Amino acid sequence: MTRSVRLILLASLALNLALGASLAWLVFQPGRAALETRQRETPTMFRPEALRRALPKERSEVVDAVLARHRDAMHTRIRAQSQARDGVREALRAEPFVRSQLEDAFARLRDAEGHTAEEAHALLVDLASRATPEERERLSRIMKNRHGSRERHRSDH
């Protein structure tokens, strides 16, 4: 076996080991699955930790007061949204499959998502009305678009 072939095989082995280690690290990160589940089930706009980080620590009582004011309504709406998702899953699994049941389940999910968004918006309006201009600027930076990436303000529209 020539020296160049040995080097190529060695490099290939090293790359395969690196790839395997990377995949193992991604799969076995502690707490990752729980975090991803929470992120999927919690509407993007309603992350208390992000709202708390947007205001200075000495103003945390403002965030806490707004969260307390909206907590029960938000939890109710999130529960309804979760139940509506369960309904979609049940309609998908149903045998025999009935298209109209799935369509109805999706309609209930859209309705529940709309109510959840309304409450999240009310919470944000409440918080913004108590925030300083600098704090509102920080709040604006945590708003994300539908796909989870930060909004890009472009002047070329």
Side-chain angles (χ1 to χ4, degrees):
M1 191 179 311
T2 67
R3 182 174 183 218
S4 59
V5 171
R6 274 188 243 155
L7 288 175
I8 291 171
L9 288 174
L10 187 58
S12 174
L13 177 61
L15 287 173
N16 284 325
L17 288 173
L19 177 62
S22 297
L23 290 173
W25 181 78
L26 286 173
V27 170
F28 296 110
Q29 286 184 51
R32 180 179 172 97
L35 174 63
E36 287 175 351
T37 300
R38 273 196 315 271
Q39 287 175 342
R40 277 194 306 272
E41 292 180 359
T42 305
T44 303
M45 290 176 283
F46 188 69
R47 294 254 166 76
E49 315 81 45
L51 298 177
R52 284 190 182 96
R53 285 192 306 268
L55 272 64
K57 284 189 185 216
E58 60 271 7
R59 300 255 301 143
S60 64
E61 74 279 351
V62 173
V63 176
D64 292 340
V66 169
L67 289 173
R69 182 168 179 239
H70 293 269
R71 181 171 289 119
D72 290 341
M74 198 67 198
H75 285 193
T76 298
R77 296 206 167 136
I78 290 171
R79 261 191 309 279
Q81 189 173 327
S82 179
Q83 290 169 347
R85 279 194 189 107
D86 291 344
V88 168
R89 282 191 288 275
E90 289 171 17
L92 282 167
R93 291 183 194 130
E95 282 301 329
F97 174 76
V98 179
R99 180 185 175 113
S100 62
Q101 288 177 344
L102 181 58
E103 289 171 342
D104 290 345
F106 274 126
R108 287 188 294 277
L109 178 58
R110 283 190 301 276
D111 186 52
E113 287 174 339
H115 289 301
T116 303
E118 285 175 11
E119 187 60 34
H121 296 165
L123 184 153
L124 289 169
V125 167
D126 194 358
L127 182 58
S129 68
R130 299 172 189 215
T132 67
E134 295 81 17
E135 292 166 346
R136 285 193 308 275
E137 171 61 31
R138 292 177 74 182
L139 284 169
S140 76
R141 284 186 250 142
I142 66 171
M143 294 297 296
K144 295 182 178 188
N145 69 20
R146 288 179 32 194
H147 304 290
S149 61
R150 301 224 185 277
E151 280 292 339
R152 290 182 177 86
H153 300 285
R154 296 170 51 187
S155 58
D156 57 356
H157 288 75

